[in-house]
Amino acid sequence: MDGTGAEDTCRIDHEKVAARDGERVGWRHKAIPPELWGLTVAEVRERRPRLSQLPTPLLTLSRSALDANLRVMADWCAARGLDLAPHGKTTMAPQLWAEQLDAGAWAITVANPFQLAVALEFGVSRAMVANSVISPLALRWIADELAADRDLRVLVWADSPDTVDLMHDALAAHVGASGSRPPIDVLVERGGAGGRTGARDLDTALATAERVVASPHLRLAGVGGYEGALAHDSDAHSRDVVRGYLRDMVEVHERLAADGRYEVEVPVVTAGGSAYFDVVDEVMSPLVATGTRVVLRSGAYVVHDDGFYRHVSPLGEEPRSGGPGFRSAMHAWVRVSSQPEPGLALFDAGKRDLPFDEGLPEVQLRRPRAAGDTPSPVTGVQVTALNDQHGFLRWDGDADLRIGDELRLGLSHPCTAMDKWTLVPVVDDADAADPVVVDLVRTWF
């Protein structure tokens, strides 16, 4: 691939994705009850089991919310001329990646060589590794994959001349000095003070780019960065910090473009996690008119949440960008297992089942005990702690909770929810009295 505007469509092997329909479910899938063991995913889907037939604890996804979030993000990007390479690490679910690509995503982003291997196994034809790759083993493998499939494009990052030197030396030892194999595309990563990786100043970024250009095994393709490590709120100060950082990224890009250093026809400038992509639009969308491909890497949007992203996302509970917002597609279902003292109950899920790094779950609904009853909201009850396999519920005064009650919990941070489940049931309507399971999503963590 030459990095031109002709490479519009990123492919994925839909047949390989669909092949998971033939996988048999069993004891290793904690979301599946014994009476369904031995069936294939397709057979479970055809049976359309009810939520009441599945065990607790349980994580589910909502089909209607997933569909809505895919449409909202695709429309938002299209209206602004921005491309999207959703971060696959959020779900590590090729089935959901395929839906994102079918909705118009330009590529799939991953964080490391293992995740890249999953993407390539499922036929993803354009992948961005939003990180430096310095392992000689990984670099040799990427070089071999590019040589075997000339339609494949892999973009990686580098934030220092030393990083580039390590990449060059590993590839030169593997493919020879001539550079006869396709080069690996490299984006110069600009960082910010107190942030994550990335060149901390303009001179280091430019020196990194010069090292890339000097290597026949690498190709300078753009500038990348991650603003989410610099702020953690949606207030004006946080957004100003992000805005300043993005301008530093643009400065690197404009210097490289003015000096004619890019080795692709259409350079890529990429930022935008799931919290500040509206600021990326504000600062970087003018680059689109100059022939630059501006790529967001938002990954959490497809699942969204009832916690951190609900509050901080531009399209969260109070959309800052206008139009429809995202809906949380993930919920946990737990059962009250003990009431050992007044004002305290415990349920049957903990850190091994539920995310907790960006806030504890919130109690939303009690599922009905009798057929035909409707779910009822639960108020005044809070999750105060999680052990490995237990959750703590506390309240002041009276709470109508009983041992055996099943509760729906809202969750925060899809990245650390999905990684705890190898098979995730998808329900038609999480608000229904007894939702129907319409699919199962396989993850690869």
Side-chain angles (χ1 to χ4, degrees):
M1 307 299 290
D2 61 2
T4 68
E7 47 164 331
D8 290 328
T9 303
C10 177
R11 298 184 309 280
I12 191 169
D13 190 333
H14 286 84
E15 289 188 4
K16 278 195 173 181
V17 173
R20 110 270 184 224
D21 281 359
E23 181 179 1
R24 295 198 177 275
V25 303
W27 56 267
R28 67 191 184 281
H29 302 123
K30 63 181 179 179
I32 305 300
E35 57 265 32
L36 298 179
W37 291 356
L39 299 180
T40 65
V41 167
E43 289 169 340
V44 173
R45 186 170 58 228
E46 289 166 4
R47 286 200 180 192
R48 294 174 64 85
R50 296 279 181 172
L51 187 71
S52 58
Q53 296 175 261
L54 302 186
T56 59
L58 183 67
L59 178 76
T60 63
L61 296 174
S62 163
R63 183 70 264 172
S64 60
L66 291 172
D67 290 344
N69 294 342
L70 287 165
R71 288 193 303 272
V72 167
M73 192 62 176
D75 291 347
W76 193 93
C77 290
R80 292 157 176 78
L82 304 177
D83 283 295
L84 177 64
H87 212 317
K89 73 173 176 61
T90 299
T91 64
M92 287 305 294
Q95 176 184 346
L96 296 181
W97 297 352
E99 294 179 10
Q100 291 170 302
L101 291 171
D102 289 347
W106 178 76
I108 293 295
T109 298
V110 295
N112 55 43
F114 163 73
Q115 294 174 7
L116 177 62
V118 175
L120 299 194
E121 174 63 24
F122 283 90
V124 172
S125 62
R126 188 183 304 116
M128 182 188 306
V129 183
N131 243 322
S132 298
V133 178
I134 57 174
S135 162
L137 293 173
L139 289 164
R140 291 198 295 265
W141 167 69
I142 292 172
D144 290 344
E145 292 292 323
L146 291 171
D149 182 358
R150 295 302 175 113
D151 290 329
L152 173 65
R153 190 179 184 195
V154 176
L155 304 93
V156 304
W157 292 9
D159 67 357
S160 74
D162 288 346
T163 297
V164 179
D165 289 345
L166 288 169
M167 296 172 68
H168 170 82
D169 291 346
L171 293 168
H174 182 57
V175 305
S178 66
S180 57
R181 295 190 180 193
I184 298 176
D185 283 338
V186 179
L187 307 185
V188 174
E189 182 187 1
R190 180 66 161 95
R196 205 170 62 181
T197 51
R200 292 302 198 255
D201 55 71
L202 177 62
D203 288 344
T204 302
L206 296 177
T208 302
E210 289 303 315
R211 247 359 176 267
V212 174
V213 172
S215 173
H217 310 293
L218 305 172
R219 181 170 63 173
L220 184 62
V223 176
Y226 176 58
E227 74 288 346
L230 300 173
H232 209 68
D233 207 331
S234 58
D235 60 24
H237 173 72
S238 296
R239 292 166 65 79
D240 281 344
V241 169
V242 168
R243 193 174 287 112
Y245 165 68
L246 296 172
R247 288 170 178 158
D248 288 342
M249 285 184 61
V250 171
E251 181 183 23
V252 177
H253 164 69
E254 290 179 339
R255 281 287 300 272
L256 294 175
D259 294 342
R261 306 310 290 157
Y262 284 127
E263 299 176 280
V264 294
E265 184 177 338
V266 180
V268 170
V269 176
T270 177
S274 297
Y276 303 105
F277 54 82
D278 60 329
V279 187
V280 177
D281 170 45
E282 172 194 328
V283 175
M284 293 185 168
S285 60
L287 298 178
V288 175
T290 70
T292 301
R293 189 182 296 278
V294 178
V295 179
L296 302 177
R297 301 188 312 279
S298 312
Y301 76 92
V302 67
V303 173
H304 197 53
D305 70 12
D306 282 309
F308 175 71
Y309 287 112
R310 178 179 67 188
H311 298 298
V312 78
S313 169
L315 297 175
E317 69 180 343
E318 295 181 0
R320 298 193 294 270
S321 297
F326 300 138
R327 296 159 46 192
S328 179
M330 66 175 183
H331 299 92
W333 307 85
V334 302
R335 199 175 302 277
V336 176
S337 59
S338 176
Q339 286 186 285
E341 60 188 63
L344 171 67
L346 288 95
F347 57 82
D348 58 351
K351 295 177 181 178
R352 303 293 178 88
D353 312 295
L354 309 176
F356 58 92
D357 57 313
E358 291 287 0
L360 291 171
E362 63 175 32
V363 183
Q364 295 180 332
L365 295 175
R366 177 191 290 104
R367 280 204 353 98
R369 287 170 174 259
D373 289 350
T374 58
S376 57
V378 177
T379 60
V381 179
Q382 291 187 323
V383 178
T384 58
L386 294 179
N387 289 163
D388 281 359
Q389 311 286 182
H390 292 89
F392 290 73
L393 296 168
R394 292 190 181 274
W395 60 90
D396 294 324
D398 295 328
D400 184 21
L401 286 184
R402 294 173 291 172
I403 294 175
D405 278 351
E406 188 173 335
L407 306 176
R408 191 184 84 184
L409 306 182
L411 305 175
S412 180
H413 203 197
C415 299
T416 51
M418 297 291 290
D419 67 343
K420 296 169 175 58
W421 299 83
T422 56
L423 207 58
V424 183
V426 181
V427 298
D428 58 346
D429 179 6
D431 293 325
D434 199 2
V436 175
V437 176
V438 296
D439 207 351
L440 298 170
V441 167
R442 175 75 153 86
T443 66
W444 301 84
F445 285 96

